């Protein structure tokens, strides 16, 4: 039946998500330099490739990581923000 197939697919996808290595970026504000630093670390497999979901052998063999660092001045971040608090809803005018 279609419902049984849908349920099996859902269970498979949830199992894949449970095995994934998910990293969150580190966000810090440097008061001395007045800058926001965002650092994202992605584990690399033994051959230097990003790990595929559920690849536990590669996770155990990971010897390095890809590190992306972005430095953003707070004023630049606020000027680029398009959230409801920063933009007038009807005119689309920047409020900051």
């Amino acid at each position: 039946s279609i419902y049984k197939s849908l349920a099996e697919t859902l269970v498979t996808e949830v199992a894949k998500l449970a095995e994934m290595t998910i990293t969150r970026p580190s966000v810090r504000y440097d008061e001395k330099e007045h800058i926001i630093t965002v650092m994202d670390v992605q584990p690399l497999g033994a051959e230097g490739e990003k790990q595929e979901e559920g690849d536990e052998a590669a996770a155990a063999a990971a010897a390095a990581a890809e590190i992306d660092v972005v430095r953003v001045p707070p004023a630049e971040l606020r000027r680029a923000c398009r959230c409801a608090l920063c933009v007038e809803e009807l005119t689309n005018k920047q409020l900051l």
Side-chain angles (χ1 to χ4, degrees):
S1 109
I2 191 161
Y3 294 112
K4 184 176 180 178
S5 174
L6 180 61
E8 289 171 354
T9 303
L10 179 65
V11 168
T12 302
E13 292 302 314
V14 169
K16 285 181 187 177
L17 289 173
E19 293 177 3
M20 285 178 60
T21 302
I22 299 173
T23 60
R24 294 190 176 117
S26 167
V27 179
R28 304 217 187 283
Y29 176 68
D30 185 338
E31 290 184 32
K32 189 175 181 181
E33 294 185 33
H34 301 290
I35 199 148
I36 298 168
T37 303
V38 181
M39 184 168 47
D40 189 19
V41 178
Q42 293 296 321
L44 296 176
E47 293 137 18
E49 297 293 325
K50 287 188 179 180
Q51 294 177 14
E52 293 298 318
E53 26 191 16
D55 193 357
E56 293 179 19
E66 179 181 315
I67 302 173
D68 293 323
V69 178
V70 178
R71 296 170 53 89
V72 182
E76 183 180 319
L77 181 65
R78 291 189 67 165
R79 282 193 295 270
C81 184
R82 305 298 298 164
C83 79
L85 295 174
C86 296
V87 176
E88 165 60 41
E89 183 178 2
L90 299 175
T91 65
N92 210 21
K93 177 184 173 187
Q94 196 78 18
L95 297 175
L96 300 175

